[in-house]
Amino acid sequence: MQKKLFILLSILLIILILLNILIGSVKIPISEIFKILIYKSNENQTWQIIIMQSRVPQCITALFCGASLSISGLLLQTSFHNPLAGPSILGITTGASLGVAIVTLISGGVLSMGTFSGWSFSIIGAILGAFVVMFIILILSNLIKNNIMLLIAGMMVGYVASSVISLLNFYATSEGVHSYTIWGMGNFGGVSLSQLPLFVIVNVIGLLLSIFLIKPLNAMLLGENYAQNLGINIKRIRNILLLSTGILSAIVTAYCGPISFIGLAVPHISRLIFKTQNHNIILPATMICGAIIALICNLLSIVPSDGGILPINAITPIIGAPIIIYVIINQRKIQYFN
């Protein structure tokens, strides 16, 4: 049954990848799209630019963004035995937002995210902000042994970062606030073709780190004492987990903005579909489900073909919020964590 589910999800993923490339605000004949994809050349240079420099990078970005955020949520939910833990819970996403806020708000909007220099400085700011917060969390993880207390400490770090962002917003110019607000709405179109290799490589590194955590995560489902009896170094595993989550959250937030609900809701979707806690199954399932949900959101964002694109964060709550509400209502029936 699980093999059939993986096959069905894989087919759905391929269909969504094709739809994300075929559908856009500019109508291009399907035959011409396949010619561009196969031969990488076309008489109509505008169509070629739209496909190869916009739709294809945006599709790949959405795919990796969904997979990375979902895996981050899964790792945190398992580690903290909390079904409501997500990538933003430790303040890493907020740290990335703070980095972007410092760049865009202090510059007064001069470094607009619509320019190459604006994107470059914003990405650098987001990555630095995320890793500063992650470094603080890693230090706290060595001082705080209790997972729940570490979770609360991470939330406090996030609140401090949010407070600084609010202060920057208060004193910033209207152009700076506008630029930061646009970034905060979320967008899978922020990765150019030249930036795509770096984006993919960093995401792959983070995802590979998560795969190495499958065995200890399965042991941690039964409690930290049981995992320690099996010879698992809880402290080291927790640091690797935080590093993996930090890498994935930082790179995605830097390029795409603080995408909401995907990391929180998708792990629950994969558990409800496969009805298991085994990370040998749930982890790859969560990757695929995350990519599917992100591609669906990206597709919905470009469906209104009036030349405009809906913000991703205007769509993700519509999908994620009902899932979270269902989990909260049925938490006694759904036994995710022992």
Side-chain angles (χ1 to χ4, degrees), residues 79-144:
S79 176
F80 293 106
H81 290 257
N82 190 330
L84 298 180
S88 61
I89 199 70
L90 289 177
I92 297 172
T93 300
T94 311
S97 299
L98 176 59
V100 173
I102 292 172
V103 171
T104 59
L105 300 180
I106 289 182
S107 69
V110 175
L111 294 174
S112 170
M113 292 190 189
T115 64
F116 175 77
S117 60
W119 273 117
S120 300
F121 280 105
S122 297
I123 289 167
I124 292 171
I127 292 175
L128 289 177
F131 275 92
V132 166
V133 172
M134 188 182 70
F135 180 72
I136 294 172
I137 298 299
L138 285 172
I139 293 175
L140 291 174
S141 71
N142 290 320
L143 300 175
I144 303 172

Side-chain angles (χ1 to χ4, degrees), residues 105-303:
L105 300 180
I106 289 182
S107 69
V110 175
L111 294 174
S112 170
M113 292 190 189
T115 64
F116 175 77
S117 60
W119 273 117
S120 300
F121 280 105
S122 297
I123 289 167
I124 292 171
I127 292 175
L128 289 177
F131 275 92
V132 166
V133 172
M134 188 182 70
F135 180 72
I136 294 172
I137 298 299
L138 285 172
I139 293 175
L140 291 174
S141 71
N142 290 320
L143 300 175
I144 303 172
K145 306 304 179 183
N146 187 286
N147 276 337
I148 302 300
M149 293 298 103
L150 179 60
L151 190 67
I152 295 173
M155 293 173 64
M156 295 304 104
V157 172
Y159 284 134
V160 171
S162 295
S163 178
V164 176
I165 292 172
S166 298
L167 290 172
L168 289 172
N169 270 295
F170 183 79
Y171 289 105
T173 63
S174 58
E175 291 82 3
V177 173
H178 176 74
S179 182
Y180 176 76
T181 302
I182 294 298
W183 174 82
M185 291 180 178
N187 176 26
F188 292 139
V191 183
S192 66
L193 190 62
S194 60
Q195 295 170 331
L196 194 61
L198 175 63
F199 179 80
V200 171
I201 289 171
V202 175
N203 274 281
V204 168
I205 291 172
L207 292 172
L208 287 176
L209 281 175
S210 69
I211 292 174
F212 288 117
L213 294 172
I214 288 178
K215 183 178 178 180
L217 285 172
N218 279 336
M220 288 171 68
L221 286 172
L222 300 174
E224 290 189 1
N225 290 333
Y226 178 81
Q228 287 177 335
N229 290 334
L230 292 178
I232 294 173
N233 189 324
I234 297 297
K235 180 179 177 181
R236 183 176 64 184
I237 293 301
R238 188 165 60 176
N239 287 340
I240 295 174
L241 184 146
L242 290 172
L243 180 63
S244 175
T245 303
I247 290 173
L248 296 174
S249 300
I251 194 68
V252 168
T253 306
Y255 281 93
C256 306
I259 307 297
S260 62
F261 277 101
I262 289 181
L264 184 60
V266 172
H268 296 298
I269 294 174
S270 61
R271 291 189 189 102
L272 291 170
I273 292 174
F274 285 86
K275 301 184 186 302
T276 180
Q277 300 181 62
N278 186 350
H279 284 78
N280 287 297
I281 297 170
I282 286 298
L283 195 139
T286 301
M287 284 187 192
I288 297 174
C289 288
I292 287 173
I293 295 298
L295 288 170
I296 290 174
C297 291
N298 187 58
L299 199 59
L300 291 174
S301 72
I302 60 177
V303 164

